[in-house]
């Protein structure tokens, strides 16, 4: 749901994108460890495209988090973009462009994943402080985000900051200290993330975080699954140039991470099948 907010679409879209792609990758992928779905770098890139193509480009990137999926312009743009990315990945699979994976050295993949982690970190820090900063594109955008954040640090919502710190500390202590002790006696780890979500949701309801402390909440989440529909074909041409870049980044990130795990656990990957698996899951995701 948080990544859906980064992409500028309703939170329910994040749940859809976290449910279907892993099932398809389970059938077609060759990595034993990665799980496909929404992740921050691609969410930020798609959010940039959505903001660029949206009719009302002056509103915030998270404008649609509480809106419905039907008739949502942001969803139409992201759906067309996702469909275009699937086309690009399918072309890559047909043309056997997976050979570029041979040039992905260990140093390149390590540097790429580290750089991606820095962008992910700074995409979340303003959210922790509940500070809205403008979307930045182009070279050195990470440093411009840092500058924008520091210049607006006085607008911090301390209630949101307190909640965020408590959640981070709880997850850190649980993952680092409690789970290793529990794993010695029980094979099933404690779902600390689920505990945080349930507990804070209950607190938000009874303590009215949004009304009393101006803490942004997700809002109503619709039930059930939407009826499958074709993407808006008239937007595919607008999204295709960006789809080429995003498709390459998706393959680079997923294969880089898969390669690191494969090296650590001593098994082989099939680069050609990885491209086909990505194309299949992206097509279905739209």
């Amino acid at each position: 749901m948080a990544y859906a907010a980064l992409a500028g679409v309703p939170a329910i879209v994040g749940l859809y994108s976290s449910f279907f792609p892993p099932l398809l990758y389970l059938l077609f992928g060759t990595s034993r460890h990665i799980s496909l779905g929404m992740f921050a770098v691609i969410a930020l890139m798609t959010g940039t495209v959505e903001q660029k193509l949206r009719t009302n480009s002056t509103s915030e990137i998270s404008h649609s988090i509480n809106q419905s999926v039907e008739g949502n312009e942001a969803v139409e743009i992201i759906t067309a973009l996702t469909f275009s990315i699937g086309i690009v990945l399918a072309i890559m699979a047909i043309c056997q462009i997976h050979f570029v994976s041979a040039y992905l050295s260990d140093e390149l993949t390590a540097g790429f994943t580290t750089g991606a982690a820095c962008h992910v970190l700074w995409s979340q820090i303003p959210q922790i402080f509940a500070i809205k900063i403008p979307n930045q594109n182009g070279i050195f955008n990470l440093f411009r985000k840092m500058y924008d954040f520091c210049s607006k640090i006085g607008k911090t919502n301390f209630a949101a900051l307190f909640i965020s710190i408590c959640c981070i500390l709880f997850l850190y202590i649980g993952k680092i200290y409690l789970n290793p002790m529990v794993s010695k006696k029980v094979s099933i780890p404690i779902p600390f993330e689920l505990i945080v979500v349930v507990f804070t949701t209950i607190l938000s309801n009874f303590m009215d975080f949004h009304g009393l402390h101006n803490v942004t909440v997700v809002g109503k989440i619709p039930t059930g699954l939407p009826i499958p529909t074709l993407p808006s074909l008239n937007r595919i041409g607008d999204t295709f140039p960006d789809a080429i870049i995003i498709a390459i980044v998706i393959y680079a990130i997923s294969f880089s991470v898969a390669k690191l795990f494969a090296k650590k656990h001593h098994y082989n990957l099939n680069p050609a099948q990885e491209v086909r698996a990505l194309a299949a899951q992206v097509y279905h995701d739209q």
Side-chain angles (χ1 to χ4, degrees):
M1 292 189 290
Y3 293 153
L6 289 178
V9 293
I12 188 63
V13 177
L15 299 181
Y16 298 150
S17 301
S18 299
F19 177 75
F20 293 109
L23 298 180
L24 287 172
Y25 187 81
L26 175 67
L27 299 175
F28 298 105
T30 59
S31 174
R32 303 173 190 174
H33 293 85
I34 68 171
S35 177
L36 296 181
M38 296 188 73
F39 53 103
V41 175
I42 301 304
L44 290 172
M45 295 180 70
T46 55
T48 301
V49 177
E50 182 268 327
Q51 189 179 46
K52 179 176 65 175
L53 298 179
R54 197 190 325 134
T55 303
N56 182 13
S57 60
T58 59
S59 56
E60 295 290 336
I61 193 169
S62 59
H63 68 105
S64 60
I65 188 171
N66 292 319
Q67 295 181 11
S68 62
V69 174
E70 293 77 9
N72 191 307
E73 183 184 14
V75 174
E76 292 179 358
I77 296 172
I78 298 300
T79 302
L81 175 64
T82 307
F83 186 78
S84 300
I85 294 172
I87 293 175
V88 173
L89 288 170
I91 294 173
M92 291 174 62
I94 294 172
C95 298
Q96 299 291 301
I97 303 181
H98 64 272
F99 71 88
V100 298
S101 63
Y103 300 96
L104 296 177
S105 63
D106 293 339
E107 292 77 13
L108 175 63
T109 54
F112 190 91
T113 51
T114 302
C118 293
H119 282 273
V120 171
L121 174 65
W122 275 97
S123 70
Q124 299 301 309
I125 286 179
Q127 305 290 336
I128 293 174
F129 288 77
I131 295 176
K132 294 181 179 180
I133 61 174
N135 189 45
Q136 298 287 356
N137 303 311
I139 192 170
F140 298 128
N141 69 82
L142 182 62
F143 299 101
R144 294 200 297 270
K145 290 178 181 177
M146 294 179 183
Y147 174 81
D148 292 334
F149 170 76
C150 294
S151 64
K152 296 184 177 181
I153 193 68
K155 298 182 180 180
T156 299
N157 185 326
F158 290 99
L161 177 61
F162 178 76
I163 296 170
S164 300
I165 292 176
C166 290
C167 292
I168 292 172
L169 288 176
F170 178 78
L171 292 174
Y172 180 81
I173 294 173
K175 289 286 187 178
I176 302 300
Y177 297 104
L178 297 182
N179 254 343
M181 292 188 295
V182 174
S183 62
K184 296 178 180 179
K185 299 181 179 180
V186 183
S187 59
I188 301 176
I190 301 175
F192 290 102
E193 295 88 348
L194 180 61
I195 294 173
V196 167
V197 171
V198 173
F199 184 70
T200 54
T201 301
I202 294 173
L203 281 181
S204 176
N205 180 56
F206 285 100
M207 299 182 65
D208 194 10
F209 285 169
H210 181 65
L212 297 179
H213 305 288
N214 197 29
V215 175
T216 303
V217 296
V218 172
K220 180 178 175 60
I221 298 293
T223 58
L225 297 174
I227 299 175
T229 57
L230 289 174
S232 180
L233 299 180
N234 61 334
R235 291 188 179 272
I236 291 179
D238 297 329
T239 61
F240 207 82
D242 296 289
I244 297 174
I245 299 173
I246 296 175
I248 295 173
V249 173
I250 287 175
Y251 177 69
I253 292 178
S254 61
F255 189 78
S256 297
V257 175
K259 188 177 179 182
L260 290 175
F261 278 113
K263 181 181 178 181
K264 180 179 179 180
H265 296 277
H266 309 291
Y267 63 89
N268 296 322
L269 294 175
N270 185 336
Q273 185 60 30
E274 285 297 301
V275 180
R276 289 191 284 268
L278 287 171
Q281 70 93 14
V282 172
Y283 265 129
H284 193 280
D285 194 29
Q286 66 85 27

